[in-house]
Amino acid sequence: MLSASSAERFWHLPVDAARHGPAMDAHLLLNLWIALGLIALAHLILFSGLIFRRRASQPVHILVLEYLPLSALTLLFAALGVRSEQLWAAQRYTGADPAAMQVEVTGAQFVWTFRYPGADAAFGETKPMLIAPAAGNSLGIDFTDPHAADDIVTSQLVLPAGREVDLTLRSLDVIHGFAVPEMRLKQNAVPGQTSHIHFTPETPGEYAILCTQVCGTGHYRMQAVMRVLPADEFDEWLRMRELRR
Ligand SMILES: [Cu+2]
């Protein structure tokens, strides 16, 4: 079996920049190898049937011909499905570490906006009637809420490498798909509800955040940048943002 990095090159996968990535890639490759093996086996059976024809007086028992292969395939696909579910649930349903960094991600036609809770580690309240992009409040933050005073709103998602991040996804209008291929992340932002997804970025660099739901005429340009910085550079960036606020 290929190692993770040579597998990336061989299968043209994007680089793995998050901690959970290699396990997902290994599972994807396992699926592909199994599919390849089954295709080869199916053709082998097909051609052997053509070459070694049996007479009608010696029928193969239905148990051997149908029920055994069918049960084996059912077990195989159930096992693969359960493993996929575990990998996905680890990001989505198993709660993030309480010490994970909190960032809110809001999708709106056709921009992503990011919010950090600031020193008090709590987001200020938002209200739909306060949304006023022209006045610089595209998220509708209620500034009478004391928690809102130190919130930081950005157009780039800047994260420290090696620390777990818990993203809270929201949408202001239609369903948007938050996706970062290098982080092996994909989760819908659905209006009227908040969704969580957590992960640990490992490799510093710049990665494209895409929208994977056709959310309107400007869908093609709904992109943002995720910038992963070494921990000390991130602290400096956050300090500068706090000063600028
Ligand atoms: Cu979108």
Side-chain angles (χ1 to χ4, degrees), residues 13-244:
L13 290 171
V15 292
D16 255 320
R19 193 168 290 171
H20 67 272
M24 283 206 171
D25 288 2
H27 190 60
L28 172 72
L29 296 185
L30 178 68
N31 272 265
L32 290 176
W33 282 118
I34 288 174
L36 195 71
L38 289 178
I39 290 168
L41 184 67
H43 283 81
L44 208 70
I45 294 169
L46 188 70
F47 285 118
S48 69
L50 286 174
I51 295 164
F52 311 107
R53 291 187 196 188
R54 284 173 167 269
R55 289 203 302 275
S57 59
Q58 297 171 293
V60 181
H61 198 281
I62 192 164
L63 184 79
V64 180
L65 199 64
E66 291 196 7
Y67 294 143
L68 277 181
L70 215 79
S71 322
L73 282 178
T74 306
L75 282 177
L76 175 69
F77 287 122
L80 289 174
V82 167
R83 176 67 181 141
S84 308
E85 179 70 17
Q86 284 172 344
L87 286 169
W88 184 69
Q91 251 60 55
R92 181 69 178 79
Y93 289 123
T94 317
D97 191 273
M101 201 177 85
Q102 299 293 320
V103 184
E104 182 194 71
V105 178
T106 305
Q109 290 171 319
F110 299 97
V111 283
W112 292 108
T113 308
F114 309 98
R115 182 157 69 123
Y116 298 75
D120 67 353
F123 293 107
E125 236 188 293
T126 54
K127 290 180 179 154
M129 56 273 212
L130 296 176
I131 292 173
N137 191 4
S138 60
L139 298 180
I141 299 172
D142 180 1
F143 288 104
T144 59
D145 178 2
H147 292 308
D150 61 352
D151 285 6
I152 298 165
V153 177
T154 63
S155 59
Q156 276 192 356
L157 178 55
V158 183
L159 299 173
R163 180 168 170 201
E164 189 175 7
V165 187
D166 185 17
L167 298 180
T168 305
L169 297 175
R170 299 196 311 140
S171 168
L172 298 185
D173 35 45
V174 298
I175 299 175
H176 297 280
F178 178 87
V180 189
E182 289 85 356
M183 298 290 159
R184 305 295 189 268
L185 277 188
K186 193 186 250 189
Q187 176 60 47
N188 281 353
V190 182
Q193 74 182 48
T194 55
S195 322
H196 281 264
I197 191 160
H198 61 94
F199 68 107
T200 306
E202 290 276 22
T203 317
E206 283 196 7
Y207 308 100
I209 298 170
L210 313 170
C211 178
T212 51
Q213 293 289 353
V214 182
C215 56
T217 50
H219 161 70
Y220 69 95
R221 62 180 153 85
M222 186 163 171
Q223 289 196 4
V225 171
M226 174 189 283
R227 202 145 55 90
V228 178
L229 300 175
D232 51 340
E233 280 180 41
F234 173 79
D235 292 342
E236 180 61 19
W237 174 83
L238 195 63
R239 209 174 56 82
M240 294 305 288
R241 292 299 310 207
E242 280 167 351
L243 287 176
R244 216 191 300 171

